[in-house]
Amino acid sequence: MTTPSQPMLPYGRAVIDEDDIAAVAQVLRTGTLTDGPTVEAFEQALAEATGAAEAVTASSGTTALHLVTLALDLKPGDQVIVPTVTFLATANAARYVGADVVFADADPNTGLMTPENFEEALTRARKGAVKAVAPVHLSGQCCDMPRIAEIADRHGITVFEDACHALGGTYPLNETVPVGSYKGSAAAVFSFHPIKAITTGEGGAITTNDRELAATMRRLRGHGMEKPPSHPALADFATAADGKVNPWIYQMRELGWNFRASDIHCALGLSQIKKLKSHIARRAELVAYYDKLIKPLAPTIRHQGRVGGNPGWHTYNILIDFPKLGMDRSALVKKLAAENIGAGVQYMPVHLQPYYQDLYGRAHLPGAEAYYGKCLCLPLYPDLTAGDVERVVATLKKVTGL
Ligand SMILES: *Cc1c(COP(=O)(O)O)cnc(C)c1O
């Protein structure tokens, strides 16, 4: 029955075309490989795509998150509420600046942090210590931002979104607002890792409506360097006898990093973002087709709970009642792999990681753990065909006997 010639379908992958390749080659020919106009052009395109006032690129989604925790001046003694159903980087970004993480539970049906999960996490936090909350738009579906922002506002907490899964989508309650421009949050973070909506190889960005925050993040991603110098400590060095500022002088008033994305990365991003709309539309079509084919497998297998809006679908997640199926996830993943179908699991809750258990002990977050117990990501990317979707579901039926 197994036909070894069937191509491998990973659960996510980048789609690179000849235009992308030509765009990168073109930048290589200009000789301006970093700090050049392609970085600015990509930032401009990102701001336009998300409707945000500013976009700041970074070397990865992780360094973009780090820039946000730095720019928000989070520090030791502060706490940040982070949903436990996320990639490691959301929580780690708080740790990079010495702040502590309070993990929030998730809705067992969607995997998203609900406003109730946020409020429950606040009851476990130290009074007055929570400075920020980082909702994660898991698999492209957005958290309930208006209610989360309202709770945050009441407690004097800053909101920043981990929108790494959600580029190109809109929020559920206001389908005209693109993800990345929500007025109730300080910033939204995106990743351009190859399995995300658009790729730069490695790369990330922050969108914000706060121009001052954007300027701080641009400074911090480049060693904290500023020109021309303004600090009185540099008065003796800064100017020539004619009173003009010496061209080589820059100042550093605070510790910065090198978290820049190069013009090579941004050339790929600029080419990719032209296809964002069509790729997101294609992902939505594939999700609808999966939904139709998966439906008869209920209640043992169903799609992850839906919140509405127009998600920029990142993964196609199903929830499986493994006890009912009489098969565990390892066995299922292995059987799918034997048929050249890659399945992902997003995510093992971060609070279960040894690093975080060592820091904070073994927390019990039942909604997140229930979600984790059921979830599986099936292949989803723009050049997946309808025939591929049929093959995935047919294989799922075959190996589960449903
Ligand atoms: C991909 C991802 C990140 C990190 O992005 P990198 O570009 O891989 O550093 C952070 N958070 C979430 C939810 C992600 O999916």
Side-chain angles (χ1 to χ4, degrees):
M1 178 87 194
T2 308
T3 39
S5 57
Q6 302 260 68
M8 174 67 193
L9 305 175
Y11 79 89
R13 75 172 176 215
V15 175
I16 301 291
D17 63 19
E18 288 304 320
D19 291 344
D20 295 326
I21 294 165
V24 172
Q26 168 57 25
V27 139
L28 290 171
R29 287 191 186 97
T30 67
T32 305
L33 303 189
T34 197
D35 279 328
T38 314
V39 176
E40 278 170 44
F42 182 43
E43 291 185 342
Q44 187 58 42
L46 274 167
E48 274 165 27
T50 57
E54 296 258 3
V56 178
T57 51
S59 53
S60 69
T62 303
T63 55
L65 284 163
H66 189 174
L67 284 172
V68 173
T69 57
L70 286 165
L72 294 178
D73 201 24
L74 301 175
K75 47 187 174 305
D78 293 341
Q79 290 183 318
V80 181
I81 293 187
V82 175
T84 188
V85 181
T86 187
F87 183 58
L88 304 170
T90 328
N92 293 353
R95 297 297 300 141
Y96 296 151
V97 294
D100 278 302
V101 177
V102 178
F103 287 105
D105 203 1
D107 180 320
N109 199 30
T110 64
L112 295 172
M113 176 183 76
T114 63
E116 291 72 23
N117 296 145
F118 174 26
E119 287 196 302
E120 188 277 330
L122 278 172
T123 68
R124 287 183 278 113
R126 247 181 313 109
K127 240 193 163 25
V130 178
K131 297 291 155 58
V133 59
V136 175
H137 302 322
L138 188 74
S139 67
Q141 297 205 101
C142 287
C143 296
D144 183 343
M145 292 311 296
R147 283 181 63 214
I148 287 170
E150 185 271 315
I151 297 162
D153 207 38
R154 230 184 313 123
H155 290 84
I157 294 169
T158 302
V159 181
F160 65 96
E161 296 156 75
D162 182 334
C164 288
H165 291 188
L167 183 66
T170 62
Y171 296 97
L173 297 175
N174 189 342
E175 298 189 5
T176 62
V177 181
V179 173
S181 61
Y182 180 60
K183 298 280 190 284
S185 61
V189 173
F190 298 96
S191 163
F192 310 125
H193 179 276
I195 67 162
K196 306 296 164 75
I198 64 169
T199 190
T200 61
E202 293 281 1
I206 307 104
T207 58
T208 179
N209 293 315
D210 180 341
R211 294 198 188 269
E212 206 173 310
L213 196 70
T216 302
M217 292 187 291
R218 285 206 176 87
R219 198 165 65 237
L220 292 171
R221 78 175 173 191
H223 308 278
M225 282 164 78
E226 293 173 286
K227 263 181 161 185
S230 56
H231 199 279
L234 291 181
D236 292 347
F237 310 96
T239 51
D242 62 5
K244 293 227 167 69
V245 175
N246 289 316
W248 64 84
I249 297 287
Y250 44 78
Q251 72 179 11
M252 175 191 132
R253 293 176 300 155
E254 67 206 313
L255 190 63
W257 280 258
N258 180 351
F259 286 166
R260 294 187 303 266
S262 74
D263 283 60
I264 307 170
H265 293 96
C266 291
L268 180 53
L270 196 55
S271 176
Q272 286 260 306
I273 204 168
K274 292 184 182 135
K275 291 161 276 193
L276 177 65
K277 271 210 167 87
S278 62
H279 281 186
I280 291 298
R282 178 63 185 153
R283 284 170 180 271
E285 266 173 29
L286 292 165
V287 164
Y289 195 38
Y290 262 127
D291 280 357
K292 194 177 141 203
L293 300 186
I294 289 280
K295 206 170 177 196
L297 309 185
T300 311
I301 298 182
R302 58 203 165 86
H303 65 64
Q304 148 205 45
R306 296 290 160 78
V307 300
N310 296 305
W313 289 110
H314 168 58
T315 49
Y316 185 77
N317 295 10
I318 52 173
L319 301 178
I320 304 175
D321 185 338
F322 286 103
K324 197 174 171 102
L325 190 62
M327 181 189 286
D328 67 18
R329 185 162 47 196
S330 320
L332 177 57
V333 167
K334 216 166 138 186
K335 285 185 170 174
L336 290 171
E339 304 273 349
N340 268 350
I341 291 169
V345 176
Q346 289 186 351
Y347 291 97
M348 182 180 123
V350 182
H351 74 277
L352 299 175
Q353 292 294 343
Y355 171 82
Y356 285 107
Q357 287 207 43
D358 285 350
L359 270 179
Y360 305 129
R362 170 72 161 89
H364 287 280
L365 297 170
E369 289 170 33
Y371 180 80
Y372 170 64
K374 293 179 291 187
C375 68
L376 198 72
C377 313
L378 299 180
L380 185 69
Y381 40 87
D383 64 353
L384 197 74
T385 65
D388 292 333
V389 172
E390 287 159 10
R391 185 185 134 203
V392 171
V393 178
T395 307
L396 188 63
K397 280 184 174 161
K398 186 182 97 179
V399 302
T400 58
L402 283 174

